[in-house]
Amino acid sequence: MADGYRCEACGHASIRWFGRCPGCGAWSTAVAPKRSDAPDVEVVELAALTGAARRLSTGEPEVDRVLGGGLVRGSTVLLAGEPGIGKSTLALQLLTGADVPALLVSAEESLEQVAARARRLGIRDGRRLHAVQASDPAAAVAAVGRTGAAIVVVDSVQALSDPACEGIAGGVNQVRACAEALVRAARSTGAAVVMVGHVTKDGAVAGPKTLEHMVDVVLALEGERGDAMRFLRALKNRFGACDETGLFEMGPGGLAAVADPSALLLEGRRAGAAGSAVYCALHGSRAVLGEVQALVTSAGAEGGHRTAVGVAPSRLALVLGVLAERVELRLGQRQVFVATAGGTALREPAGDLALCLALASAATDAPVDPDVVAVGEVGLGGELRAVPGIARRLREARRMGFERALVPPGCCGGADARLRVEEVCDVRAALTLLWPRRRYRVVSGA
Ligand code: TYD
Ligand code: MG
């Protein structure tokens, strides 16, 4: 504020704001001078706006669902993920799937590489898809104007570089400036702009954190290396909920939506083997069954290690603590490995009970009844706590042909003759129900 403040009473001017005017001694009379160049903006009554966002289908129902009904015109989406996870593949599928003029701005790969990917994906009719190789955001924006594209993908925002801006491509300054140019272009042309973004080793979007604030939607494409399953989640969505997950499988023809994730995740399960239990997770509104496995070795010289793949180490530590103190299943010096099958992550506390069963089963070499699904959060006292969406989870268990479900107290909703729903109050009760003759004793030690 170069002009500073002025006292309304006596006209005293000061660079700084003042509570009491140093000129006339009056209180609360400091006012900022009016700018003569203030833009004349239109103010409307909110109720007068119909509010329905104009959506574009991406042609991929799984992606549309995660977005909350398709891409919104004039909006910006950040598609983030680790290198090699399939961002460029998904981007190309979206561009060709949507029935509108589309533009790919390739800043990383040559157009020959892009064309090779398109051939690999079996894209034959690319008449409405234009591609340009450019790393200058101004060139990208000009191409949007020239092609009249309604969907634009920029691959990647970290590879763009504005010659008028300092710093190297991918740096904080450059990413912010380039993303700003794209956000402006989206608003002014009405095109939906998808920026591909890399993530760093710790999973954060590379570049400034402000990038996530600047865009309307942040999608994360995730999966385990060496595994074909891919999950698309909305981490931020100005136009919809953030709780939907799209499931895909990477194959020779690109990313294909997984019609029956439970069947895929339970495929190859060694039903009846010790150390395996089935849980039911919620991915957005959808319930998906999965297997959690545990392996407990005999005590070795380097004992006491815990390794968790797809399971949060804190949940594993909690469950091991409960098993040790509440049912005297102490694994002290033994090595413990837990893993989820199929590259899914067991994020929810609702998976605690299955994790407990897999560990107890591995430690005692007694298989869990293969017809059992276990759902429930375990508290520090060993008690089982209710979890959300129990009816949906049980429905999925029934659909997949499971005959028994162990659930927390008060969750019996939706049981029928095919699925026996057994409420258990704590971990000890669950273990006793599965292995009635077994008594838990201390198995730890050197
Ligand atoms: P890509 O989309 O290039 O990943 P990103 O842009 O996130 O770096 O795809 C990476 C991997 O996907 C690559 O290793 C090859 C594999 N892939 C398939 O398995 N099938 C396919 O049809 C395509 C196009 C790629
Ligand atoms: Mg790529």
Side-chain angles (χ1 to χ4, degrees):
M1 187 58 62
D3 292 350
Y5 292 83
R6 195 165 285 279
C7 172
E8 261 185 325
C10 72
H12 175 86
S14 164
I15 284 292
R16 291 214 184 90
W17 183 85
F18 48 84
R20 185 181 187 190
C21 175
C24 66
W27 284 95
S28 308
T29 53
V31 289
K34 281 210 181 73
R35 272 174 51 190
S36 53
D37 62 342
D40 200 10
V41 291
E42 187 192 1
V43 179
V44 296
E45 268 180 42
L46 268 187
L49 300 174
T50 53
R54 289 162 61 224
R55 305 263 188 180
L56 288 167
S57 169
T58 62
E60 295 277 344
E62 283 290 278
V63 179
D64 285 351
R65 204 165 51 77
V66 174
L67 286 166
L71 288 164
V72 171
R73 288 180 192 268
S75 74
T76 40
V77 176
L78 177 65
L79 173 62
E82 289 181 8
I85 203 74
K87 299 180 296 298
S88 301
T89 305
L90 184 62
L92 200 52
Q93 288 182 227
L94 301 187
L95 286 171
T96 45
D99 192 22
V100 288
L103 171 68
L104 173 68
V105 179
S106 181
E108 267 175 27
E109 295 176 286
S110 69
L111 294 183
E112 284 70 30
Q113 283 172 302
V114 173
R117 182 182 288 110
R119 274 197 300 278
R120 196 170 169 188
L121 294 177
I123 296 165
R124 284 190 186 83
D125 184 14
R127 275 173 304 157
R128 305 191 85 180
L129 172 61
H130 297 87
V132 57
Q133 204 194 1
S135 56
D136 183 339
V141 172
V144 178
R146 267 211 312 281
T147 55
I151 297 188
V152 180
V153 168
V154 179
D155 191 359
S156 67
V157 67
Q158 281 94 4
L160 290 185
S161 166
D162 182 348
C165 177
E166 294 208 351
I168 53 160
V172 172
N173 263 343
Q174 280 289 357
V175 171
R176 186 182 296 134
C178 297
E180 244 163 33
L182 296 174
V183 170
R184 271 199 304 273
R187 293 222 178 105
S188 64
T189 62
V193 176
V194 178
M195 302 178 211
V196 171
H198 297 291
V199 298
T200 57
K201 268 202 213 91
D202 55 4
V205 178
K209 191 72 190 161
T210 45
L211 184 54
E212 290 183 51
H213 295 295
M214 289 162 71
V215 297
D216 299 303
V217 178
V218 180
L219 298 181
L221 186 62
E222 299 167 351
E224 301 291 326
R225 254 175 210 280
D227 193 282
M229 275 290 256
R230 298 286 180 267
F231 298 81
L232 185 72
R233 294 177 219 281
L235 304 184
K236 162 183 172 175
N237 192 350
R238 284 187 180 148
F239 313 111
C242 279
D243 60 359
E244 286 300 339
T245 301
L247 284 97
F248 299 89
E249 203 176 2
M250 181 63 99
L255 287 162
V258 176
D260 192 345
S262 296
L264 185 72
L265 288 174
L266 294 182
E267 198 177 75
R269 175 171 75 112
R270 287 171 57 227
S276 157
V278 175
Y279 62 95
C280 189
L282 278 191
H283 293 281
S285 60
R286 172 196 269 178
V288 179
L289 299 182
E291 179 191 12
V292 57
Q293 297 182 328
L295 176 68
V296 177
T297 68
S298 47
E302 292 176 57
H305 287 301
R306 275 84 181 96
T307 308
V309 178
V311 177
S314 57
R315 294 301 325 160
L316 173 61
L318 183 147
V319 164
L320 284 172
V322 167
L323 283 174
E325 296 307 315
R326 306 300 171 197
V327 292
E328 295 183 336
L329 195 68
R330 300 206 164 96
L331 306 177
Q333 288 304 302
R334 304 170 74 179
Q335 292 195 48
V336 175
F337 303 86
V338 293
T340 52
T344 58
L346 182 51
R347 293 163 192 263
E348 295 174 275
D352 288 353
L353 180 59
L355 186 58
C356 255
L357 298 185
L359 283 163
S361 164
T364 58
D365 201 25
V368 178
D369 176 353
D371 284 320
V372 163
V373 170
V375 176
E377 177 179 354
V378 172
L380 290 180
E383 77 281 13
L384 281 187
R385 302 229 175 113
V387 295
I390 194 77
R392 248 178 293 158
R393 298 183 206 248
L394 293 177
R395 220 177 295 131
E396 182 67 0
R398 194 175 302 126
R399 187 184 73 81
M400 289 302 293
F402 283 81
E403 291 167 10
R404 292 173 79 187
L406 302 194
V407 297
C411 286
C412 209
D416 66 17
R418 271 197 297 157
L419 183 73
R420 199 160 90 230
V421 181
E422 298 169 68
E423 295 188 8
V424 280
C425 59
D426 58 18
V427 169
R428 182 186 285 274
L431 298 188
T432 311
L433 202 61
L434 287 177
W435 299 291
R437 281 196 299 279
R438 185 153 208 116
R439 292 199 51 225
Y440 293 94
R441 60 191 175 78
V442 180
V443 290
S444 76

